[in-house]
Amino acid sequence: MQSLQSPQCLGRRIAVSNILDVTLRDGGYLNRWQFSLEETKSVLNFLQDQGLSQVEVGFLRTPDRMTSPVNGCPKEFLAEIQQLYPEMSLVCMLNPAEDNWQAAVADKLDQISLLRMPCTADLVDKALEIANHLKKQSSHLKISLNLICVSSYSLAEIECLLRTIAPSKNVDIVYLADSRGALYPHEVNAMMALVREICPQSLGFHAHDTLGYAIENSNQAFAQGCDWIDVTLKGFGLAGGNTPLGGYLAHHDLQSSGQSIQAEVTDFCQKHLPLRHPDSLTRQRYRLLAAKNIDPVWCDQLLEKYPDTLNKKVEKLPRQHYKNIDSVLDIMIP
């Protein structure tokens, strides 16, 4: 499935500095972010050894919604990580739908270099408002607005969202996130070309590997001028997983030693990172859904309704911009 063509964009060659590891945040969907401090430090040590300096360490939450250091990022946790890894730039994610986002970020901005906000269309205005407030509080903080589930929008819809974001002086990076892992390389190419045309900000891309195109889609994004590419160890992440760090570094010959980076990642994860991908049957079903541009996170709900016939029903559906699970159920043949 991966065509594995190395991208060139205006003479650029991708570097480790373009790569952001999001294992602790996106991989956390596989263990509900229950990483021990020892496991967290092991991950950061390994990434540092590979030359990565930008790491997303988790979600910013209010104290009452915090379930672990990674799923909450209390200031004490961030301060300790910053002290242990002074050369690393710490990245955190803030959901703009948080009712009390001010409490979620309180006293933490000094430790964070980049704050990312995942947005569906209905949250863009709120995210821009939050970005305005945060920039007044911190002069060093970079802010990224991440348009998620971009395969659920037409190019015209994406263009409309981008024209809302582009004028903002408070947004430093505009990300497209293929949250469903449903995009094909030519679609990524068209979307990123549109972002580059409209937005003066730096560009980022977050791939999921549901259809097996994460590396190639990331390459297409970089070829269109993208500056930030997200990866995770062994591709650990929600549903179909993410762009695998080992595969991506190996593909671009960015290994820090003479050993196989993919073998190093596998060995490290077996010893220090007790995460597991979904079983093969589940991953196969995710691929079937993503091929129709249906969000794999709806899989359990769809199975509950059609436990014996889901695959056959999905195969008969058209590929289109499904916005929610009801839009799928509405056209499924009973």
Side-chain angles (χ1 to χ4, degrees), residues 103-308:
V105 304
D107 301 321
K108 301 175 184 179
L109 298 184
D110 287 344
Q111 282 80 41
I112 302 169
S113 65
L114 170 63
L115 184 146
R116 311 205 299 172
M117 288 187 280
C119 295
T120 48
D122 59 313
L123 286 173
V124 167
D125 288 339
K126 177 70 178 296
L128 291 173
E129 178 186 333
I130 293 173
N132 180 49
H133 284 286
L134 292 177
K135 283 291 189 175
K136 292 177 181 177
Q137 296 180 42
S138 174
S139 58
H140 81 278
L141 182 69
K142 289 187 180 296
I143 294 177
S144 168
L145 198 154
N146 296 20
L147 292 177
I148 63 173
C149 295
V150 290
S151 66
S152 68
Y153 303 109
S154 67
L155 281 178
E157 289 173 316
I158 292 174
E159 179 178 356
C160 183
L161 294 172
L162 294 175
R163 294 199 182 281
T164 300
I165 298 165
S168 175
K169 303 297 184 183
N170 300 310
V171 174
D172 302 286
I173 307 167
V174 177
Y175 253 87
L176 294 191
D178 179 20
S179 312
R180 299 176 180 178
L183 290 176
Y184 291 97
H186 71 277
E187 294 174 310
V188 173
N189 189 66
M191 285 185 182
M192 293 308 301
L194 184 64
V195 186
R196 186 184 59 181
E197 176 187 340
I198 295 173
C199 294
Q201 294 93 341
S202 294
L203 310 182
F205 185 70
H206 177 92
H208 277 250
D209 204 28
T210 320
L211 292 178
Y213 290 108
I215 290 178
E216 178 59 17
N217 284 347
S218 296
N219 286 348
Q220 290 293 330
F222 187 80
Q224 284 294 343
C226 187
D227 303 294
W228 299 71
I229 298 293
D230 287 6
V231 301
T232 63
L233 292 171
K234 287 196 74 176
F236 287 131
L238 182 64
N242 302 95
T243 303
L245 170 67
Y248 203 63
L249 292 182
H251 175 57
H252 290 284
D253 196 24
L254 295 172
Q255 301 170 99
S256 61
S257 68
Q259 301 180 45
S260 164
I261 180 59
Q262 296 188 73
E264 283 190 64
V265 169
T266 297
D267 182 63
F268 168 80
C269 291
Q270 287 176 344
K271 293 178 179 177
H272 303 288
L273 195 61
L275 297 179
R276 297 292 180 269
H277 288 292
D279 61 71
S280 59
L281 180 61
T282 300
R283 288 171 70 87
Q284 182 181 6
R285 189 169 283 124
Y286 287 165
R287 284 193 293 273
L288 178 64
L289 293 171
K292 301 295 185 176
N293 198 11
I294 298 171
D295 200 325
V297 301
W298 302 335
C299 186
D300 288 345
Q301 291 173 269
L302 292 170
L303 270 176
E304 186 176 341
K305 189 169 182 65
Y306 300 109
D308 302 316

